[in-house]
Amino acid sequence: MSEIPIKPPQIPNLVIKQITWHVKLNEFIEEGHDLCTLICDVPESSSSLLSQIIHMPVYKTKTFKIKSTASGSLYVLNSAEEAQQTSILCKIRQKTLPNFSIGADSIDKCKHEMEFGGMCAFCGYRSNENEQADIEKLHCGVTGRNLKFNEDLAVALEHKKKQKLLKEKKLLLVLDLDHTLLHTIKGSSAKPNIHQINIDGIVFSTRLRPHLDFFLENLKDKYEFFVYTKGSRKYAHQMMKLIDPHKEYFGERLISQDDEPGESGKSLKILLPKDNTMVLILDDTHEVWPDSPNLVIADRFWYFYDELSDIDKKIMGENDHLLYFMKDLLANIHDSFYMQETADVKNILKQIQGNVLLGAKIAFSGMIPIDIQPEMHPLWQAAERYGAICQREVTEETTHLISDGSLTKKFKQAKRMNIPVLHRTWLSLSVSYWYWLPESQFTLENINNLDIRSLLPTSLMRQLSIGSPVPSKSHTSGESESDSDSDLIDSKSDSSSSSNKNMADCAREVNSTSIDSKENKQEKGAVKRANASQIPKPAKKVKFQDNSELKI
Amino acid sequence: MFFILSLKKNLKLTPEYLGKRINKHLANLLNSAVEGSFDTKFGYIVKVLKHEKIGEGKVQDSSGDVLFPLLYKALVFMPYKGEVVDAMVSQVMEVGFTATLGPMSMFVAAQNIAADYYLEPEARPHPRWVNKTDPSKTIQVGGDVRLRIMSVRVNGNEMMGVCEMSEAYLGPITV
Ligand SMILES: [Mg+2]
Ligand SMILES: [Zn+2]
C-alpha cells in the first residue's frame, strides 16, 4: 500500500483561493480522472511593466483543472486553506494486489498495522502468542469487533467516528446485559412474561427489564448503542435475539467476555482508545468500571427472586421502572451535549447529578447506626452526591426527615414542625432514578399503598397494563384528562404506522417535560412552613399531574 | 473444508454412573463435550459420527472418579490457508468488511478488496462496497461473498480468519 499526494501546480507564490471537488472521500478513482477545479492567484512574471512600476508582484486569477496521477481510493481531501498550508490537495491510497503466497519477504514488507483476532489483517501473519508483539496495538471497537490498530490508525479512526457522531447528532451508549437490561437464571420458571432459552443443553429463563423497548426506541436517534457484557458470546447472542430480533438497535455492536478473555474489568478503551467525551455507560456493577466518570449506575434488576420485602415488591421486578427514568436522563444529557460548544458528557453527567436533589436538606432518624459517622453512611453520601445537604439534627431549614418510624426525638421534632417524614425508599429511589420523586406516596403513612406505576404517564401505564391489570386506584379522574390528550395525538398521526403509535405517544408526552431548572429546585427547598400541614407539592407537576394531588 | 477424523477424548465419570447404562452415558457425555467445540489443531467439531472404542477406565486415587479414553470419528470443519470459501457478510466498515461462515468469523481489509470496489459510507441501512464498473455487484450486510483465506486462527471459543477478495473470481455471489 502506498500513498500518492496530489499537489497543486508548482508555481512559486501561488495562492489557492477556491477548490471545487468533483470527487468524494473514499471514492475510487483512476489515473487521469478529473479531481477538482482550482481558482488561484498566480504572480505574473516580474518583468511585467506594472510590477516594475509598483515594485510588487502582480497577481492574476487563473483556473486549473487537476487530474489524478494515480489510481486508488481518495482518503484525504483538503480545503483551500489546508491545501495552501500543506501544498497537498488530496492523497490517494494506491491499491496493489496483495501477494498471496505469504513468504518471509512479504511479511518483512508489511508493517502489520492492523490486526484481526491475532493475525495481521493485511498479510495474515500470525504473531506468535508467546512472543510479545513489537508494538502494542490498540482496540477501536467502534470500528469493528476483534480489530486492533497501531496507535496512529486507531486515533485516526476514533476521530472519524467522532466526526460521524457529531454529524448525526448522536452519542455512544454502552449497555450492560445482566441485571441492567435483563435478568437471567439457570433453569425454568413459572413466572409470567419470561423467555426460555437453551444454551448447550442447559435451560435458562430470562426476563427483559420493563420499559426496555421504550428505552431503546426513544433513544435510538440520540445514541448509538453497544452491549458490553462479561457473559460469554454464545449467551450474549441469545440475549441479543430477545432484545433486538431485527438488529435494528444494536446491529453487530456487541462486546462479550470472548473479546477480552482473562480480563475481569471493563474498559472504554476497547471501544475508543483515547477520547471518552461522547460515551456513556449504563451498568449495575460499578466495580467492573474502576474510576469511570462516564458511568451511570443502574439499580440492579431482579425478577426471579421471591424473598422481597413488601416495599421492594412495589418497586422491583414487574414494577421496576428504572429504564423509563434512564431514558429521560440520557435524553437530557444528549440534548445538553449538543447545546454546548465544547461539551464533555462527563461534566454534564456530574452537573445533572448535583442538581437532582439540589435544595433538599435531609435529616435521618433511626437509619444510621450510632457507632458510625453519619457522614460515612451510604445514604448520606448518596444524598450529598445528588445535591442534597444532609444534617445531623432537625432544624428550621430541614425539608425532609428520612425515618424508620421509631419515635425518636428527631421524629417528634419533625412532626411538630410539620416537616415531611419519609420512608428511605423516597431517597434511594430518587437517587437511582436521578429524579426528585414526589413525596406524597412515600410518607410513612402512605408507603404501604405506594403505587410506583402512577408516576408514569397514563398512556404508558395503559400499555404496561396489558397482561397484568393496573390496580384500580390508578383509574381516577386524572386519567380522563390525559386520555383526551392522547386521542388528540392519535388523530393527528393517522399516517404513522400503528405498531409504533403507542410508543410515539409516550415519547411525545414525556418529551414535553424537560428537566427541572435550578430555580425550581431552590424554590422547592424553601417551601414555606406556614403551609406545612401539606406536603410540598412536587415541582414536576406537569408530569405527575395524574397522581400527586389525588393521593394526598 | 470438512473432514472425517478419528479423534480421542478422555472423559471423567463420577462413581454414581458406573452401572448398566455406562456406555450410553459415556456416549452422551462425549457428544455434549465435543460437538460445537474448537480444537486448536483440528478446527471445529461439527458432529460425532461414530463411537469407535471405549478404552479401559482408570480409577482416580483421590476422588473415585473413573477416567475413560474414548476413540470416535467426527465431522470436522477445518478451513485452511489458500482455501476459497463462500461466506455471509456481517458488517461493512471503512477499513474493510467482516463475514461469517458457520463458526468462523472472517475479515477482509480494504487493502485486500479488489481495487475497483469503492466504499459507499452513507448507504442505508448499512455502508457497502460497490463495484465501479458493475454497480450491481455490492458487498453488503447479509449478502453472500466468495473469499480466499489467508490465515486462520482459533482463539478460545472462536475461529477467525483473515481473507482477501482481490482476484477475478472472488467477490459477491449472485444466485
Ligand atoms: Mg451486570
Ligand atoms: Zn502484515
Side-chain angles (χ1 to χ4, degrees), chain A residues 110-112 120 122-125:
Chain A
C110 180
K111 283 191 235 149
H112 313 314
C120 172
F122 300 142
C123 71
Y125 171 74

